[in-house]
Structure formats: structure tokens, C-alpha cells
Amino acid sequence: MFESKTIDEKKQGTVLMKDNFLSKKNKKVYIESYGCQMNFSDSEIVASILLEIGYETTRDIKSANLILINTCSIREKAEQTVRKRLDFFRASKNKKTSIGILGCMAERLKSKFLEEEKLVDLVVGPDSYRDLPNLLKEVNDGRKAINVILSKEETYADLNPVRLDKNGITSFVSIMRGCDNMCSFCVVPFTRGRERSREPKTIINEIKELENNGYKEVTLLGQNVDSYLWTGGGLKKDFQKLSKEAKKNSVNFAQLLDLVARNTFMRIRFSTSHPKDMTDDVLHIMAKHKNICKYIHLPVQSGSSRILKLMNRGYDRDWYLNRVKSIKNIIPECGISMDIITGFCDESEKDHLDTLSLMKAVKYDFGYMFKYSERPNTLAERKYKDNVPDKIKSKRLSEIIDLQQKHSLEQNEKYIGKICEVLVEGLSKKSDDDLFGRTTQNTVAVFPKENTKIGSIVNVLITNCTSATLIGKLIN
Ligand code: 5AD
Ligand code: SF4
């Protein structure tokens, strides 16, 4: 799902920049990224491909020869944001600057983008970044260029991403691409293609390199990590066609997680899990390794079995609650978060109450909540009516957000008086005298800095909290 994917509103439009770029390259690229973490990681792949042909990254639009926007299509609002940015770029563009659209909007709109937005020179889908050098040659010759071919194999496994926008402590490694689930509301299978997994060896190598460069935490990324399956390459859907031997030698997500945990001292996270595919094996591996963080992002989307069926999620309410029960049994201290969509087609007040009651049964640590936004060509767009009035969507959304805020506060209050291990990520946003980091459950903790180094793991006694943050002090 675009679920690897949790979209961090604070990061939208972040300009990616490699610090201390020492090369004497003469061309400059400005890359702005929207959407999920996968898109931000893809921008690092794009930067590494462009570096090979002499482009260095810049934060200054005016000095850029090439402006790239890595776009998101998940909700209409995400697309509108990109259109507005294009209006802004219209003002900065001169004859020497080319403008390219990457990512999900490029894939969804294809050549229509070139027709609709005359200032765009280049349109490149998520599986075609290796073609950028050729496409840029065309653009530099004064032609418009496009490649939106989706691939069965491409995982960019051999590329060494240029780490952009880095804090030097936490990092992301993509383990798979695409999604085969076809949730009826979701545009991702159309924009990112079929599911394929990346070779374990290349994942481990990338992680080791991060560790050698001083990183302390890695998040394994995929639309549905529980569906990860390495069989020697190719599409997941072709698994049944493989020989017995090949099937036996395949690596699933629990095995990959075990392999990663045994090969690094870094903290390990992953995102996103899928309730229909998350096995107890994965939970046992999490419980077994101290360096795997005790946190699962498990989008539920709705608490109503009827709506889950319409959404084509592949599980019902009872199945989901049973998965949560397993998490709580096997990893009692595990943090759990969710995504919820409110106001999906035909959602009644009773369905909405089912969502609220499921939230009460699970008590999530935090969550990402959205109003349903109809996306072109999805099954829901073709078959169902987007018939919940916007006013009702908004009302239900605010009820869900209010309840979640109450739960987040209650969950955080449980830590008061306890000692949490925190990986220090940087200065707190509110004060330079404080540091912030995350607990294993992925909750942000803030504490006075004293002599603590960024990147160290410290013990923090929690003394207070808000619904979003734990507040504490260092202890030895
Ligand atoms: N409308 C609203 N939210 C959506 N999501 C995915 N598609 C849509 C849509 N059409 C949400 C889901 C997903 C998260 C990344 O975005 O909750 O898990
Ligand atoms: Fe996630 Fe479903 Fe979309 Fe796949 S289709 S990205 S599982 S929401």
C-alpha cells in the first residue's frame, strides 16, 4: 500500500539536498518531494542516477538547471498541491531551466501532463528513473520527454542512493516495490505497478553501508512488507509457477527481518504492515531481537466488516482484532498505529460507530486519519458512489481524530514514571536546550540535553506528557 507510505504532513515539499557535495559538477538539480517515505527514498535514487551524469543537488531554485517534483496521487489534495507548486515554478523558470514531473502523478497522468502543463518538459514514472540520462538528452535537445513504463523487475537494487535531507542517524531502505492488493480506494497499484521484492543480499549490503557511515536506525520500506518474498527476482504473483526447489529457497518477510537483525547493530523498523498478511512468525522474530523496534503500523481503514469488504481489504473486523491480540500476546510492550479512511462509499452512521468501537478496543498509540478522496480508475470510482456528503465526512473525521487524541494521551500517560530507551535524533523543535528522539514504540520523547550526543541511545525517565510527546529527564 502506499502504506509505506505514511504521509508525514510536516515533510511535504521538502527540498532534498546532499550536504557537502564536493564534486565539481556543473549542472544543478533541485528536487522537491511529496507523499510517502517511498517517494522520498526514490528521490535519493534519482539523485544518485543524476550524479553519474554530472548533476549536483541544490536548495536554490534560481541556480537550478533542472527542477524535479516527485509527486503523490494518493488523495486529490496531494495532486492539487503539486499543481499549485507548478504555478509557482512558472515564475522561476527561464530558458535554461527544465521542469520534470516524477512519481505517481507522472504515472497516472502520463502524456496528459505534458498537454495540460505546458511548462513541463519531462514526465517520468517510478520504474523509469534509470532512463533519466536518455530522457534528459532529449530535453536538452529541445524536445519533451516521457517514460512511464512500469516494470516487472525493477527494484533499483544495485544503486547506491545519495542520502539526501539526512540527519545522519535514521535512514530508509526500500525492500520491495509496487502493490498487488487492489484495495478499491487506492491508486497505488496503478501508479507503482505490480509487487516485486528486492534481493536480500543487496538490502543487507545497503544496511551495512549505512551502519559504516554512522547511521543508528534503518526503516525497511514497502507498500506491504508482510508480503515480501524473494524468489530470485520477478513478480510476486508468479510464485506459484516456480519449481519446488525455488520455492524452498525463497525468503519471506519474517526471514528477511531475522537476517537483517543478525547483520546489523542498528535499530530496525519497518513500514507498512498489512493485517491480512502479518504472520505470527514476524511477531516472534520481533520479540526475539532486541534491535527490532517494538512498533507496528497496521492500517485498519475501517472498523466495519461491511466497509472493509467494499474496500477489498482482504480481512474483516474480527480478523483484524485477532491480529492485534496476537501482537499484544507476543509483544506486550508493542506500539501500534493505524490509518483510517472516513466517509468511504456507502458508509453509514453504524459503520462509523464500528470504527470508533474498534479504536476503543485497540487503543492505538497514534494514527493517520483521512477523509475518503475518490481516485480515478480505482474500483471504487468505477463501481461505487462517493455518496457520503463532505460535511458528514468532516464530522466523522473530527470524531475519529478527537477519540485518537484521547487514546494517544492515555497511552502516553502509561509511561509516566517509567524509563524508556531513546535514540537521540536531534534538537527539539521548541528549544535548543532540549533533545528529541524516539522510543522503541516510535513515540517522540523530549528531554534536557546535558552532555548527550546526537545518535546515542539514552535512558529517559518520563515525568510528563502530551498526546504527541513524552517529556522526561536523562538518567544514567
Ligand atoms: N482517500 C483517502 N485516503 C486514502 N488512502 C489511500 N487511498 C486513499 C483515498 N483514496 C489512505 C489509506 C492509506 C494511506 C496511506 O492513505 O489510509 O493507508
Ligand atoms: Fe496499501 Fe491497499 Fe493501496 Fe496497496 S492497494 S498501497 S495495500 S492501500
Side-chain angles (χ1 to χ4, degrees):
M1 347 202 196
F2 211 30
E3 297 184 335
S4 59
K5 124 187 135 227
T6 302
I7 292 177
D8 184 345
E9 291 299 339
K10 290 190 285 293
K11 286 180 80 179
Q12 298 308 295
T14 306
V15 180
L16 296 178
M17 169 79 189
K18 165 98 172 103
D19 294 329
N20 304 324
F21 233 84
L22 296 174
S23 55
K24 291 200 195 79
K25 312 290 175 188
N26 48 16
K27 286 175 281 180
K28 293 204 163 128
V29 56
Y30 172 95
I31 314 181
E32 213 171 80
S33 302
Y34 292 85
C36 62
Q37 193 54 54
M38 192 71 116
N39 245 15
F40 283 73
S41 278
D42 278 3
S43 291
E44 301 188 327
I45 287 168
V46 167
S48 104
I49 291 166
L50 292 181
L51 179 62
E52 291 295 311
I53 54 165
Y55 282 88
E56 82 178 72
T57 45
T58 175
R59 279 203 183 96
D60 173 25
I61 306 181
K62 293 224 163 64
S63 70
N65 311 86
L66 176 62
I67 296 174
L68 295 177
I69 318 181
N70 198 351
T71 60
C72 169
S73 288
I74 196 101
R75 282 169 290 275
E76 200 183 345
K77 197 173 139 232
E79 294 205 358
Q80 282 163 356
T81 309
V82 168
R83 299 279 187 172
K84 279 198 206 116
R85 276 310 271 168
L86 280 174
D87 289 338
F88 172 78
F89 290 139
R90 227 177 293 277
S92 326
K93 180 171 160 120
N94 59 39
K95 271 191 213 128
K96 283 185 300 175
T97 0
S98 310
I99 296 193
I101 300 294
L102 313 176
C104 290
M105 265 177 101
E107 193 62 51
R108 193 177 84 67
L109 291 157
K110 303 188 170 57
S111 57
K112 248 170 91 184
F113 218 120
L114 293 175
E115 290 153 27
E116 286 172 10
E117 303 281 356
K118 294 285 180 252
L119 86 159
V120 171
D121 306 289
L122 175 72
V123 171
V124 193
D127 285 347
S128 304
Y129 298 143
R130 279 185 211 269
D131 198 24
L132 270 166
N134 296 324
L135 296 166
L136 281 169
K137 257 188 222 142
E138 280 187 47
V139 169
N140 292 336
D141 287 347
R143 289 189 297 273
K144 304 249 171 186
I146 177 165
N147 188 342
V148 287
I149 295 171
L150 287 172
S151 158
K152 289 182 185 163
E153 276 101 24
E154 183 61 272
T155 57
Y156 300 109
D158 56 314
L159 290 180
N160 196 2
V162 169
R163 302 287 159 191
L164 302 160
D165 185 33
K166 58 178 189 179
N167 60 8
I169 309 296
T170 55
S171 56
F172 297 85
V173 167
S174 117
I175 62 165
M176 61 202 294
R177 297 181 74 83
C179 181
D180 279 354
N181 286 329
M182 290 293 187
C183 297
S184 62
F185 52 80
C186 188
V187 76
V188 169
F190 304 96
T191 60
R192 292 195 156 260
R194 301 305 299 251
E195 186 179 313
R196 66 223 99 114
S197 296
R198 178 177 173 188
E199 185 176 6
K201 198 170 64 192
T202 68
I203 297 172
I204 301 287
N205 287 347
E206 194 176 327
I207 290 173
K208 282 194 168 151
E209 178 150 347
L210 285 165
E211 187 161 25
N212 290 339
N213 287 326
Y215 283 85
K216 305 290 181 207
E217 185 181 289
V218 62
T219 301
L220 310 178
L221 291 178
Q223 313 295 352
N224 169 1
V225 289
D226 296 300
S227 180
Y228 175 91
L229 190 65
W230 171 254
T231 59
L235 294 181
K236 160 100 184 232
K237 75 177 176 64
D238 294 334
F239 181 67
Q240 287 316 328
K241 295 182 203 155
L242 295 177
S243 69
K244 248 192 190 156
E245 186 68 11
K247 279 185 188 160
K248 211 177 87 205
N249 290 334
S250 64
V251 178
N252 67 19
F253 184 57
Q255 291 162 325
L256 177 76
L257 207 49
D258 191 43
L259 199 65
V260 172
R262 285 190 282 110
N263 273 282
T264 178
F265 293 108
M266 283 195 288
R267 266 184 169 193
I268 301 154
R269 299 187 185 279
F270 51 84
S271 188
T272 294
S273 304
H274 198 302
K276 95 179 150 60
D277 296 316
M278 189 192 71
T279 61
D280 284 358
D281 283 355
V282 168
L283 302 177
H284 287 299
I285 297 292
M286 286 177 75
K288 181 172 121 187
H289 291 283
K290 188 164 185 305
N291 58 341
I292 304 181
C293 289
K294 307 302 181 255
Y295 165 63
I296 300 182
H297 181 58
L298 197 66
V300 62
Q301 314 298 4
S302 168
S304 152
S305 291
R306 192 179 74 86
I307 295 295
L308 288 170
K309 194 152 200 287
L310 288 177
M311 288 177 161
N312 196 28
R313 286 289 290 177
Y315 57 86
D316 62 10
R317 179 188 170 96
D318 286 347
W319 173 279
Y320 185 92
L321 287 173
N322 176 281
R323 295 290 68 222
V324 170
K325 201 165 139 197
S326 268
I327 298 173
K328 292 187 174 173
N329 279 340
I330 299 169
I331 320 165
E333 74 276 32
C334 199
I336 308 179
S337 62
M338 52 69 172
D339 291 341
I340 286 176
I341 298 176
T342 189
F344 186 65
C345 312
D346 242 7
E347 187 189 70
S348 66
E349 197 57 25
K350 180 179 175 300
D351 296 317
H352 171 59
L353 292 177
D354 281 351
T355 298
L356 293 173
S357 79
L358 179 131
M359 289 171 72
K360 286 178 194 154
V362 178
K363 282 260 172 83
Y364 294 101
D365 293 82
F366 51 93
Y368 303 89
M369 296 147 281
F370 314 99
K371 273 198 267 185
Y372 172 57
S373 160
E374 187 176 77
R375 307 311 293 130
N377 292 327
T378 55
L379 189 119
E381 190 255 353
R382 287 182 280 120
K383 293 236 167 105
Y384 312 139
K385 280 214 175 78
D386 180 11
N387 55 2
V388 177
D390 192 60
K391 244 187 165 168
I392 301 209
K393 283 183 186 171
S394 299
K395 177 184 147 284
R396 290 180 186 163
L397 180 64
S398 64
E399 285 174 17
I400 287 172
I401 291 175
D402 287 350
L403 181 62
Q404 184 48 49
Q405 211 148 12
K406 190 171 146 246
H407 288 165
S408 294
L409 183 63
E410 278 173 32
Q411 292 296 93
N412 283 352
E413 278 169 351
K414 283 192 189 156
Y415 293 104
I416 294 180
K418 294 201 174 127
I419 296 165
C420 292
E421 244 183 33
V422 174
L423 169 61
V424 186
E425 289 182 36
L427 286 176
S428 125
K429 265 179 246 132
K430 291 202 179 133
S431 157
D432 283 356
D433 297 329
D434 291 341
L435 294 173
F436 89 97
R438 279 165 211 274
T439 66
T440 183
Q441 290 85 3
N442 209 30
T443 306
V444 171
V446 173
F447 52 92
K449 85 174 161 203
E450 298 179 26
N451 295 322
T452 317
K453 272 207 195 121
I454 291 171
S456 57
I457 290 190
V458 293
N459 286 322
V460 177
L461 172 67
I462 307 305
T463 53
N464 202 350
C465 72
T466 66
S467 62
T469 313
L470 300 172
I471 300 157
K473 57 180 184 198
L474 284 166
I475 57 159
N476 290 325

